Amino acid sequence: MGSSSFVWTSFTGGEISQTAQGRFDQPYYKTSLNVCLNGIPLENGSWQRRPGTRHVAPTRGGKTGKLISFSFQDSFPYQMEFTDGFLRFTTGPSLVMTNDQQSIVAISSANPAVVQTASAHGWSTGNSVAFNSLGVNNPLLQNRQFTITVVNTTHFSIADAITGASIDGSTLGTFASGNVTRILEIATTYNSGSWSGLRSVQAETRTVLLNGTKPQILQVATAPTISQFATFTFSPSDFIDGPYLDPIDGSVVSSSALNGVVTLTFFFQAYDSTIAYNIGDFVSSGGVGYQSLTSLNQNNTPASSPSNWKVVNGGTPVNNGQGFQSSDIGRLLRLFSEPQLWNSSSTYTTGTVVAYSDGIGGFSYWTATGSVGAGVQPGTSTLWAINATGAQWTWAQVVSVSGSGLISPVSAIGSLVSGGGIAAAFDGNTGKSFSSCATFFTNIQTWPVWSAVVWGVGNVCQYAGTAYRANVTIVPSPPFDAWNSGIAYGNGQTVTYQGAVYTCIRTETFFAGVGIPPTGYSALGLTSAMFWTFIESISALPPNLAPSLWTSLGAISGASEDVYVGQHYSSPSAISLVTLYPSVDVGLANVPSDSVQNGTYTINLRAKNSAPSAANDGTVLATLTLGNNIAPITLISTDQVSTWSYVWVEITASYLQPLPDDGSHIFVIKIGLSQVQFYAPNVNNGSVITAQIRGNALLYNQTIRTWQLGVYSDTTGWPTCGTYHEGRIWFGGVVSNRFDSSVSNGFNGIELDFTPTGPDGTVSVSNAISYICDGEDTNQILWMTPDQQGIIFGTQAGEWLISAPAQGALAPTNIKAVRVTKIGCANAEPRRAEHTLLFIQKFSRKIMEYFADVFSGKFSAPNLSERAKHMTVNGVAEIAYQQELAPIFWCRRNDGALVGATYKRDTLTTSQGPTIIGWHRHQLGSGRRVESIAVGPSHGGNLDSLSLITNDTNSGVRHLEIMGDLLDESFILTDCAFLDDAITPSSTLVQAGPTGGPFGSLLINGLWAHNGKKVTAFIAGLDCGDYTVSNGSITVPFGDGVSGGTGSGLFTAALAESFQAVAGETIPAVIGFSYNSDGQLVRPVAPADTGAQTIGFAKLGRQHRASALLFGCVNGSISFGTDFTKLDPAKLRQPNDVQYPVNVLWSGIWRDTVNSLLDYDGMISWRISRPLPATVIVVGGFDSKADI
Amino acid sequence: MAISNATFSDISGAVSDIFAGMGAADKAALQAQGLRITAQGTLITAQGTRLNAESLRTKAAGDIAEASNYDLASTLAEANKAYTDQSTRLQQSQLNRNITQTIGGQQAGVAASGFGAGGSAAYLLRDSQAQGALAKGVLAQQGVITEAGYEQQAQSYTTLANAGRATAAAEMDMASKTDTIATEQDALAVQQQQLANQTQDVGNKEADMDFFSGAIKGVSAIASIFI
C-alpha cells in the first residue's frame, strides 16, 4: 500500500458530471469537483461560499412574475418586476416608491384599520403602500405591503397586499408615529402571464417592451436622485409608416376621399382576356372578384369558366383569405397614389395626369399640356410633359373594419357556464384570462408518474394506468457502498445489501458489524438485527415488477369532456366560418401536450334549426383537431348556403392518464373560450375598412393599384424580440426569417418610425430596413443582439449575422445577412459576457459561448456545459451574466433550479477552451423554486448582482430576492449574510430578562414575509440560532456572556446595545433561511496524488487526513470528510491548542484526521451549513492506496 | 391814195403778221425742240425702266437661289428630326438595358446578401424601376422636343424657300412688266419726236402764212398809199 499527499490548488473546473470524471488524463480534472453546491469557484482558483440572497419584497400580490433589468443609469440601477397587469420597479434592495410619502396622523382600531394622513394623499383605491419609521410599534405593519381602499382624501383602509385580508386595527397595537409610502405601480396590459416572454429593447432612458403583443414604451420621466426615485411613463408604441408586407399582386383599393378618415374598398384589377393568369391570380369581372384555379388561364371569361375561376371576395388576399378582421384595427397600410393608366382610346384634357408603363415594370407619369387626342402616347408628343411628382406614397391606419361578416350575438347557448359564463364568449373581448372566459372545469385525481427516483413510504405513483402506493422507502441507487465483510462499520454508517439500505446501529465502532451482514445472520447469539436497521429498499424497477415494494391501488382513470358554446339567432343565418379565441393563459383546453396518449382536442362547428339537445347534436359544418394553444382558431364551414337558427362550437377533449401532478394530486381540467365569432358568407368579408390617412393626402381619386399591409397587428402578431443598434430599433419574431429596423434615430417618444421610402419611393440610407433572409428553412427569430460585426440573431435552426458589406453603417442599401452557424437557439435571451455571447442551445441542454475566432474571423460556439451536462437536466430556461466580483453566468432551469458557472475567456481562439468554466449548483435555503432571474448593477453600480423571483411552493407566494456580494478579503463578520431571502429587520428592541430568556432577549420586527417560517438569525456576526416567525417578529434570547446560550454565549444585551449606542447605527442583523454549501473533490487518481506506483484508479484507499488552506472562517463553520454523511467540524485552534472563539475570523492552514472509508473514491468533502463564511483556497489529502 | 388809217393798219398788220410769222416759226421750233427733248427723256426713262426690269430679274434669281438654300436647310432639319427620333429610340433601348442591368444587379446583390426580393429589396427595385421609367420619360420628352424643334425649323425653312420663290416670281413678273413700260416709253418717245417734227412743221407753215399775210397786208398798205 502506497501513501501520498496531494493538493487541489484550484477549483475553477467546478462541478463536473459523473460521466466526465473519467478524464483524469485531462488538465481540467485537477481543478474539478464532484460536488459544488452553493459554492462558487472564483477566478483566482479558490472556492467561496455563495452569498445569501437579500429579501427585497414579495412580488405584487405575491404573484408569479418576471424580472428585467432597466439600467438606464448605473449609479441608480433599476429593475422591472412584471406581474399580471402591473409593473413595479426595484433599485438595489428597495422597491421604488412614488416620492409622495405621507406622514401618518393615526391608525384606527377598526377592522379594517383606517390610516389617517397629515395631508391629502392623492392616492387611489387599489394602490399598494408600505409603512416606515414606526419604531418598534405596530410590528404587524412593518416590512409588509398593503392594498388600500380610499375613504377620503386623508383616510384609507388597509388590507394585506398578498392575501387581501383586511387588517384589524385592534391587533396593531398603539400607533406612535410613522410614515406611509406608495409603491410605484404602473398598470400594464400584460395579464395572465403574458409578461413571461417579455423582452426589453433599451435605448438610453427608454425601452420598448416586446412579447408578441403591441409593444409598450417605458420612458424615464424624471431621473432618480439621491433623495427621489425615478418616475416613468408607460404607453403603447405608435408605429410610423411601417413596416409592411409586400404588395399583393392584383389587389387594388379605392378610397372614398383623398384625406382624413377614408373608406377603403378592396377589389381586383380588371380581367384582361389577353393575359394568361396563373393559379391564385385575382381579377375582377362584372363587379365580381375571381381567383384563378389554373395556370395559363387565358381568355376564359371568369363568369362562365367555373373550372378556371372561383368567386372570391375583395378581402380574400388579406389575412390568408379571411379578409380584414376586427383585430386589424390599428394596423398600418401603405398606399401608392398614382394617376389613371394611359388609355390609347381616351382623349385627355389639359392638366390630366396619366401613368404610362415603360414596358419593363416601371411607370412614368405625364401631364397633358393641351388637348390630347386618342392614341397619342406619352413620350411621343409634346402634348405630354413628364411629371416627376406624379405619384406618391402615403400611409394610413385602420380605424374600423366593416362588412367583416361578423354576426352580431343574439342569445348565447352552451355548457361553458363557469368563469364569466356563456355570455363572456360574446362580449367582444378576445383577450381574457381563463377566470373571465366562458369556461368549464372539473377536478380529476392524478398521481406522479413512476420513475426511478426516491419514493417515500406511503407515496403514491401511477404506472401504466395503475396507481401504486410504496410500502417502504424505495431508492433507485443510493450513494452508499455495498456491505463489505472486511470492513468494520460504526454507528450511523450506511451500506447497501441485497437490494436494501441498512444503517449500522452499534456504537462499538471498531468491531461493529465485522463480518455480520445487515440481514440473515444469526450465530453465536448475534443477529443482523442487533447491528443493522433497515432504512430503505433499493429498486429501479417499476411497481408492477416490484410487487413486494408497492401495493396496487387499481386503475387510474382519465376523463373525456364534451362541451359547447354558441348562439341562437332569431333570424336564421348562413355560416361562413367561426373564429375562436382561447383564454390567453390556459388556452382552449389544457390537454397536456406531453401526455402520453393525448395531446390534442377536437373542435366541431355545428348547427341546427332547433335547440341542440347536446354538444354533439346538429350538423357538423367543420371540424378541426389540434394541440392546445392561445392563438385564434378558425373553422370554415363546408355549407355556406343553409341557414341556421342555432350554431355552436363543440369541444371534445380527452384527458388520459398520466396527467401532470403538481404535488396536489389533483389535475384541474380547464376548457375556456375568451370569444367566439360566427361569420356569415356573401358579405364584404373584410374587404371594406375605414382608415385614417396619416401621411400626405392621396394625390388622385383613382384606384390604388399598389398597396401594402402592415406586418404587425393583433391579427398577425407583434415583435417578440429586438435590439437597439446604430440608432435603429430592430425587431423580429413575427414573420419567419424576417427582421425590420426603424429609420435611423427612429425611436422618438412613443413613436417607432419605420418609414421605408420617401413619398416618391426613393430609398435612402436612413430609411427603415425590412428583409427576409434567404435560407434553406424559415424560422422565427428568437433573439437579436448587437455585435462588433453587426447584429447576431438566433433562430431554432441557426445563428445569423447581419452586417454592412461595404464601408458605412447598416442601411437598406448596405446590408447583408448570412447564417454563420447552425447550432440552433432556444427562445431565451442571450447574454453578453466580457468577450463572448452566451446563448442557450435549442434543446435547452447546452450553454454555448459564441464568438468570432480572432484568426479566421469565423464564428464558433463551444459548448460550455460539455463537462457538466447534468447541470442542464430539465433544460435551461434563462441565463444572466454578472461580471463582478466573479464572472458568472447564472442559469434558471425549467424545474426552478438555479445553477451557475464561473466563466472567463481571455483568448478568442476556437482551438482553446475558455480560461475558466466552473459550474456550481445552488439550492436556496428557503427551498423555493426560481422563476425569474436578472442581473444588473448592484446598488451603487460598483458590482453586479443577481436578482431572483422565487416561488414558495407551499404558499404560492413569490418573493423578489437579490443575491449579496461575494466577500472581499477585507470583510468583517458583520458583513456576512449567508442566509437566503434574508431580511434586514425594520426595528429591534432589547428586552430585559426574563422577557424572551433569562438574560433578556432581542425582539426583531419586520419579518412578516417569513411569518410562520423557521428562520435563522445572524446577528452582530454571530449565528444566533433558528426561530419561528410569529406576527412578523422573532425573539432571540441573549446568551450568558460566557459560553452558554445564543451565539455560544456571546450574543448579549450589551452587545446589542453597543450598536444602538452609536447614533444612526442599528445592530447588524439578517434573518433568513440557512443553507448548506458543499464541496467535494473528484477522485484523486494520478500516481503522485495517490502514492500508487501506477495510476491510482480502482485501487482501494483511504484519506487518513485532510488539510486545507482556508480564509475567513470561524470555528464550526466548516466540516470535512470524504462523505457528506460523515463530516467532522474543522477545529480551528490557536497555537496553544485552544479553539478560536466563534466571533473571530480565522485564516490559515488546517489539517486533521477525517472520517474516511476504505474505498475506491477518497473524495475529500466539505460543508458549511450555518450562516457563516468560509473560503477554501487549497484542499489536500493524505491518501493510502492498495497498489493492486 | 393817201396814207390812211387803213394803211397804217395794214402796215401794222403786215408788220404784225411778219413778226407773227417769224414768232410762230420760232415757237414751233421751240415746241418741237421741247418735244424732242421730252422724247429723248422718255427714251432715257425707258432705258431706266429696262434697267429696273433687269434688276428685278437679277433679284428674282437671287431669291430663287435663297429659296433653294432654305429647301436644303429644311431637308436637313427633317433629317435631324428623323435622326433625333432614331437616336431617342436608341437611347431608350440603351436605357432599358441599363435599367434591366441595374435592377438585375440589385436583385443579384440582394440575393447575394442573403435576402429575398421583398421588403427593402422590393422598395429598392421599385425605386430603380421608377427612376428608370422617369429617365426614359425624360429622354423621350427630350427627343420629342428636339424633334419638334427640328420640325419647326424645317417648316420655317420651307416657308422661307417658298417665300423666296414667290418673291422671285413676282420680281420676274415685275421685270417683264417694266420691260413693257420701257417699250411703251420708247414708243412714246417716238411719238413725241414725231410730234416735235409736226410741231415744227406747223410752226413753219404758220410762219409762212404769217409772212404771206404780212406780205399781203404790206402790199395792201402800200397799195392803200397809192390808192
Side-chain angles (χ1 to χ4, degrees):
Chain A
M1 178 170 285
S3 296
S4 176
S5 62
F6 66 89
V7 290
W8 241 248
T9 58
S10 171
F11 309 104
T12 54
E15 180 175 311
I16 62 174
S17 302
Q18 297 293 315
T19 51
Q21 293 184 18
R23 298 308 305 272
F24 37 76
D25 56 325
Q26 294 292 315
Y28 72 79
Y29 189 81
K30 273 300 291 277
T31 63
S32 298
L33 298 169
N34 183 51
V35 173
C36 185
L37 174 67
N38 291 328
I40 297 172
L42 303 182
E43 285 176 279
N44 56 21
S46 62
W47 179 99
Q48 188 174 97
R49 191 173 194 203
R50 167 178 67 78
T53 63
R54 294 290 188 126
H55 174 82
V56 177
T59 59
R60 189 181 189 280
K63 303 297 184 187
T64 182
K66 181 183 179 74
L67 289 174
I68 300 177
S69 177
F70 187 28
S71 301
F72 52 89
Q73 193 173 329
D74 263 17
S75 55
F76 295 102
Y78 275 61
Q79 284 199 112
M80 300 178 281
E81 171 209 287
F82 290 94
T83 52
D84 279 353
F86 287 93
L87 163 61
R88 306 197 308 184
F89 301 88
T90 60
T91 178
S94 305
L95 276 172
V96 171
M97 302 295 181
T98 53
N99 299 322
D100 53 356
Q101 177 170 281
Q102 302 293 320
S103 176
I104 301 169
V105 173
I107 300 175
S108 79
S109 57
N111 187 6
V114 174
V115 177
Q116 181 184 356
T117 57
S119 56
H121 49 69
W123 298 346
S124 303
T125 295
N127 285 165
S128 299
V129 300
F131 295 89
N132 64 66
S133 305
L134 294 169
V136 295
N137 303 306
N138 315 115
L140 288 175
L141 299 182
Q142 297 192 16
N143 252 2
R144 186 176 176 184
Q145 297 172 30
F146 301 91
T147 304
I148 66 168
T149 299
V150 172
V151 177
N152 57 37
T153 56
T154 55
H155 291 77
F156 56 81
S157 62
I158 54 175
D160 185 89
I162 294 173
T163 64
S166 296
I167 302 300
D168 185 350
S170 65
T171 65
L172 298 178
T174 304
F175 169 77
S177 64
N179 301 318
V180 60
T181 57
R182 183 168 52 130
I183 299 167
L184 177 58
E185 295 176 332
I186 296 175
T188 72
T189 54
Y190 304 122
N191 292 303
S192 306
S194 62
W195 39 261
S196 62
L198 268 176
R199 305 284 179 87
S200 170
V201 179
Q202 188 177 338
E204 292 89 36
T205 57
R206 292 162 292 155
T207 186
V208 189
L209 297 166
L210 308 173
N211 75 333
T213 62
K214 187 168 190 178
Q216 305 288 316
I217 307 294
L218 178 69
Q219 299 184 78
V220 177
T222 56
T225 65
I226 294 291
S227 57
Q228 295 282 297
F229 292 108
T231 62
F232 301 88
T233 62
F234 184 81
S235 311
S237 57
D238 183 19
F239 280 80
I240 303 297
D241 199 8
Y244 298 103
L245 299 170
D246 290 335
I248 302 168
D249 286 342
S251 177
V252 299
V253 56
S254 66
S255 175
S256 63
L258 299 180
N259 208 355
V261 177
V262 299
T263 298
L264 299 177
T265 303
F266 295 81
F267 55 107
F268 307 113
Q269 288 185 348
Y271 168 74
D272 185 341
S273 62
T274 65
I275 294 175
Y277 292 96
N278 281 325
I279 292 175
D281 285 354
F282 295 102
V283 298
S284 174
S285 178
V288 178
Y290 295 92
Q291 188 171 22
S292 178
L293 299 172
T294 57
S295 59
L296 299 176
N297 184 3
Q298 184 179 6
N299 203 23
N300 297 308
T301 305
S304 57
S305 303
S307 62
N308 292 299
W309 298 95
K310 71 172 181 180
V311 175
V312 295
N313 186 274
T316 300
V318 177
N319 291 333
N320 296 320
Q322 296 185 58
F324 284 94
Q325 308 289 302
S326 57
S327 52
D328 287 314
I329 291 173
R331 197 171 181 178
L332 301 186
L333 292 161
R334 201 159 204 249
L335 307 167
F336 192 43
S337 185
E338 290 180 284
Q340 58 188 308
L341 287 170
W342 175 78
N343 188 327
S344 63
S345 60
S346 298
T347 61
Y348 298 96
T349 57
T350 303
T352 305
V353 184
V354 297
Y356 184 68
S357 171
D358 69 351
I360 54 172
F363 282 89
S364 54
Y365 305 97
W366 301 81
T367 302
T369 58
S371 296
V372 182
V376 178
Q377 296 180 23
T380 64
S381 167
T382 53
L383 287 174
W384 291 110
I386 193 80
N387 186 335
T389 57
Q392 76 170 13
W393 286 98
T394 187
W395 62 287
Q397 191 167 22
V398 178
V399 173
S400 67
V401 177
S402 62
S404 66
L406 178 64
I407 308 171
S408 298
V410 178
S411 176
I413 60 171
S415 57
L416 296 179
V417 295
S418 296
I422 53 177
F426 303 97
D427 63 1
N429 183 354
T430 60
K432 296 192 289 290
S433 58
F434 184 80
S435 60
S436 304
C437 289
T439 64
F440 167 86
F441 66 90
T442 187
N443 295 340
I444 182 171
Q445 189 165 51
T446 186
W447 301 103
V449 178
W450 176 87
S451 62
V453 297
V454 175
W455 295 91
V457 59
N459 286 171
V460 179
C461 72
Q462 60 171 305
Y463 183 77
T466 300
Y468 296 90
R469 176 182 291 119
N471 299 328
V472 294
T473 298
I474 305 166
V475 297
S477 56
F480 306 119
D481 296 326
W483 174 75
N484 186 327
S485 62
I487 295 177
Y489 293 97
N491 184 34
Q493 286 190 277
T494 305
V495 298
T496 63
Y497 183 72
Q498 293 185 348
V501 178
Y502 297 87
T503 294
C504 183
I505 57 175
R506 296 303 289 247
T507 55
E508 301 90 339
T509 304
F510 189 76
F511 299 105
V514 174
I516 300 176
T519 184
Y521 182 87
S522 179
L524 301 174
L526 300 177
T527 64
S528 293
M530 296 170 68
F531 288 83
W532 300 94
T533 185
F534 169 84
I535 300 298
E536 56 203 12
S537 292
I538 304 169
S539 175
L541 295 174
N544 61 331
L545 299 179
S548 64
L549 305 179
W550 297 90
T551 299
S552 171
L553 301 179
I556 183 167
S557 60
S560 292
E561 307 298 341
D562 191 3
V563 295
Y564 73 110
V565 64
Q567 279 286 309
H568 172 207
Y569 297 120
S570 50
S571 299
S573 175
I575 300 299
S576 164
L577 57 89
V578 62
T579 299
L580 310 180
Y581 293 86
S583 67
V584 296
D585 46 359
V586 173
L588 199 155
N590 63 337
V591 176
S593 60
D594 57 353
S595 176
V596 173
Q597 298 180 51
N598 192 357
T600 60
Y601 52 80
T602 298
I603 306 166
N604 293 318
L605 171 60
R606 291 179 176 271
K608 194 180 178 185
N609 275 321
S610 59
S613 59
N616 60 355
D617 196 6
T619 303
V620 176
L621 301 180
T623 188
L624 187 64
T625 297
L626 71 169
N628 190 27
N629 62 60
I630 62 171
I633 303 161
T634 296
L635 287 81
I636 298 175
S637 173
T638 55
D639 178 359
Q640 303 193 10
V641 177
S642 303
T643 59
W644 311 94
S645 294
Y646 294 84
V647 290
W648 67 96
V649 285
E650 175 197 17
I651 301 159
T652 61
S654 294
Y655 291 81
L656 301 183
Q657 296 284 2
L659 292 165
D661 181 2
D662 61 2
S664 66
H665 313 313
I666 296 296
F667 179 82
V668 183
I669 290 173
K670 295 179 179 177
I671 300 173
L673 279 168
S674 182
Q675 200 69 186
V676 179
Q677 295 176 341
F678 294 103
Y679 289 81
N682 299 321
V683 290
N684 289 328
N685 277 350
S687 64
V688 180
I689 63 171
T690 60
Q692 168 71 54
I693 301 288
R694 294 189 61 183
N696 294 329
L698 293 166
L699 292 176
Y700 310 101
N701 189 18
Q702 294 288 335
T703 297
I704 296 163
R705 300 181 292 277
T706 305
W707 64 277
Q708 295 177 274
L709 196 53
V711 176
Y712 306 142
S713 70
D714 289 341
T715 305
T716 51
W718 298 86
T720 57
C721 64
T723 192
Y724 180 61
H725 181 64
E726 291 186 350
R728 296 174 184 264
I729 294 285
W730 301 73
F731 286 150
V734 176
V735 178
S736 293
N737 282 18
R738 172 174 177 144
F739 61 83
D740 297 274
S741 99
S742 69
V743 303
S744 300
N745 291 325
F747 184 14
N748 302 300
I750 63 167
E751 290 186 349
L752 294 164
D753 191 342
F754 280 76
T755 304
T757 72
D760 61 351
T762 303
V763 180
S764 72
V765 293
S766 65
N767 275 121
I769 303 171
S770 296
Y771 274 108
I772 298 175
C773 302
D774 281 337
E776 58 200 30
D777 44 31
T778 60
N779 290 282
Q780 182 189 11
I781 295 176
L782 301 175
W783 50 261
M784 309 176 84
T785 189
D787 186 78
Q788 191 174 9
Q789 300 185 39
I791 294 172
I792 299 171
F793 70 81
T795 73
Q796 201 172 4
E799 298 70 44
W800 295 69
L801 174 67
I802 302 170
S803 60
Q807 191 76 18
L810 286 167
T813 53
N814 188 28
I815 188 166
K816 181 178 184 177
V818 292
R819 175 154 49 187
V820 286
T821 48
K822 295 182 75 170
I823 292 137
C825 308
N827 190 7
E829 282 191 279
R831 298 297 173 197
R832 175 68 61 184
E834 285 181 352
H835 303 299
T836 60
L837 184 71
L838 306 174
F839 71 84
I840 307 171
Q841 172 250 21
K842 61 183 172 184
F843 301 118
S844 302
R845 292 299 309 277
K846 296 177 181 173
I847 306 298
M848 319 304 290
E849 57 166 350
Y850 203 62
F851 62 93
D853 185 276
V854 70
F855 297 115
S856 68
K858 292 183 177 177
F859 278 91
S860 178
N863 172 16
L864 292 177
S865 49
E866 183 180 21
R867 298 196 294 265
K869 200 68 179 287
H870 67 299
M871 290 286 185
T872 63
V873 169
N874 294 319
V876 176
E878 191 176 13
I879 55 176
Y881 177 79
Q882 73 175 59
Q883 192 172 359
E884 284 293 351
L885 278 170
I888 299 169
F889 66 81
W890 297 97
C891 303
R892 176 179 67 84
R893 292 198 323 215
N894 288 315
D895 59 3
L898 179 69
V899 298
T902 306
Y903 164 72
K904 188 173 181 62
R905 173 175 279 279
D906 295 317
T907 308
L908 295 178
T909 55
T910 53
S911 59
Q912 291 186 20
T915 310
I916 299 172
I917 177 65
W919 285 83
H920 29 93
R921 288 183 289 125
H922 300 274
Q923 293 173 354
L924 297 178
S926 57
R928 295 174 186 162
R929 294 179 179 174
V930 179
E931 294 189 337
S932 179
I933 59 173
V935 163
S938 65
H939 198 57
N942 54 335
L943 296 172
D944 286 338
S945 58
L946 176 71
S947 296
L948 312 94
I949 288 179
T950 59
N951 179 12
D952 181 344
T953 54
N954 293 318
S955 65
V957 175
R958 273 71 172 182
H959 298 259
L960 180 53
E961 305 174 36
I962 184 168
M963 192 173 286
D965 295 337
L966 288 162
L967 292 176
D968 261 325
E969 293 192 7
S970 57
F971 81 96
I972 57 176
L973 261 176
T974 51
D975 291 338
C976 297
F978 290 100
L979 293 169
D980 281 337
D981 205 24
I983 297 175
T984 300
S986 54
S987 63
T988 58
L989 176 66
V990 175
Q991 302 176 122
T995 302
F999 304 103
S1001 61
L1002 184 69
L1003 174 67
I1004 297 177
N1005 296 323
L1007 309 179
W1008 182 260
H1010 298 336
N1011 209 39
K1013 300 285 174 56
K1014 188 177 181 182
V1015 295
T1016 300
F1018 186 73
I1019 308 170
L1022 294 169
D1023 175 5
C1024 291
D1026 298 343
Y1027 305 89
T1028 299
V1029 180
S1030 175
N1031 289 327
S1033 304
I1034 59 172
T1035 299
V1036 180
F1038 291 125
D1040 63 2
V1042 183
S1043 62
T1046 305
S1048 298
L1050 300 179
F1051 181 62
T1052 62
L1055 176 67
E1057 286 167 342
S1058 69
F1059 286 99
Q1060 294 177 342
V1062 180
E1065 190 168 333
T1066 56
I1067 186 167
V1070 286
I1071 316 297
F1073 301 97
S1074 59
Y1075 55 90
N1076 290 346
S1077 292
D1078 294 349
Q1080 185 177 44
L1081 303 183
V1082 294
R1083 297 167 186 81
V1085 177
D1089 293 340
T1090 61
Q1093 293 180 359
T1094 58
I1095 196 78
F1097 176 69
K1099 293 175 179 173
L1100 277 174
R1102 188 195 305 271
Q1103 300 291 347
H1104 296 289
R1105 291 181 180 82
S1107 61
L1109 175 57
L1110 302 173
F1111 172 78
C1113 304
V1114 295
N1115 237 328
S1117 67
I1118 187 166
S1119 302
F1120 283 91
T1122 57
D1123 186 326
F1124 286 108
T1125 63
K1126 305 179 208 45
L1127 297 173
D1128 297 317
K1131 296 180 178 63
L1132 309 177
R1133 296 182 177 88
Q1134 300 178 48
N1136 58 4
D1137 208 30
V1138 174
Q1139 292 196 21
Y1140 281 93
V1142 296
N1143 61 349
V1144 174
L1145 284 171
W1146 183 89
S1147 301
I1149 295 174
W1150 164 86
R1151 169 182 149 152
D1152 209 338
T1153 57
V1154 293
N1155 198 334
S1156 176
L1157 295 174
L1158 183 67
D1159 58 17
Y1160 298 120
D1161 299 326
M1163 297 186 288
I1164 292 179
S1165 316
W1166 62 91
R1167 167 172 289 169
I1168 305 110
S1169 59
R1170 297 301 298 173
L1172 299 168
T1175 299
V1176 179
I1177 303 167
V1178 171
V1179 168
F1182 297 85
D1183 196 4
S1184 294
K1185 276 274 193 258
D1187 205 4
I1188 50 174
Chain B
M1 169 153 176
I3 302 174
S4 65
N5 288 340
T7 304
F8 288 108
S9 177
D10 289 341
I11 292 167
S12 63
V15 170
S16 176
D17 286 344
I18 290 166
F19 282 107
M22 289 173 64
D26 290 340
K27 183 180 177 184
L30 286 171
Q31 282 179 334
Q33 187 63 27
L35 286 170
R36 284 188 196 95
I37 290 169
T38 299
Q40 195 65 36
T42 300
L43 284 174
I44 290 168
T45 299
Q47 285 298 326
T49 301
R50 282 194 188 86
L51 285 174
N52 197 19
E54 193 61 31
S55 170
L56 285 171
R57 275 190 285 274
T58 302
K59 191 166 183 293
D63 286 340
I64 287 169
E66 188 179 345
S68 296
N69 285 337
Y70 281 130
D71 281 340
L72 285 173
S74 174
T75 302
L76 189 59
E78 290 287 350
N80 277 339
K81 179 190 170 191
Y83 171 76
T84 301
D85 182 49
Q86 289 176 354
S87 174
T88 300
R89 290 175 192 278
L90 190 61
Q91 288 182 67
Q92 282 185 321
S93 176
Q94 289 175 327
L95 195 53
N96 271 352
R97 185 169 177 273
N98 288 339
I99 293 167
T100 304
Q101 283 186 325
T102 300
I103 292 173
Q106 284 179 338
Q107 286 174 328
V110 166
S113 295
F115 300 120
S120 293
Y123 289 120
L124 284 166
L125 297 178
R126 194 177 297 117
D127 186 22
S128 296
Q129 284 180 329
Q131 290 305 310
L134 181 62
K136 283 182 65 177
V138 169
L139 184 62
Q141 188 171 19
Q142 281 179 335
V144 166
I145 291 169
T146 305
E147 285 179 42
Y150 282 127
E151 186 176 353
Q152 204 167 25
Q153 201 174 30
Q155 286 175 352
S156 173
Y157 284 134
T158 300
T159 301
L160 288 172
N162 290 338
R165 275 190 285 273
T167 303
E171 285 170 344
M172 289 298 285
D173 184 49
M174 284 179 63
S176 176
K177 288 175 179 170
T178 304
D179 280 342
T180 302
I181 291 169
T183 302
E184 289 173 351
Q185 286 173 331
D186 283 342
L188 181 61
V190 170
Q191 288 175 354
Q192 288 171 335
Q193 191 63 43
Q194 289 173 346
L195 184 60
N197 290 339
Q198 289 171 351
T199 302
Q200 185 70 53
D201 289 345
V202 170
N204 290 337
K205 286 175 182 174
E206 191 178 353
D208 288 345
M209 288 300 290
D210 286 340
F211 282 134
F212 182 70
S213 173
I216 291 172
K217 286 178 180 174
V219 168
S220 174
I222 296 167
S224 63
I225 300 173
F226 295 107
I227 308 175

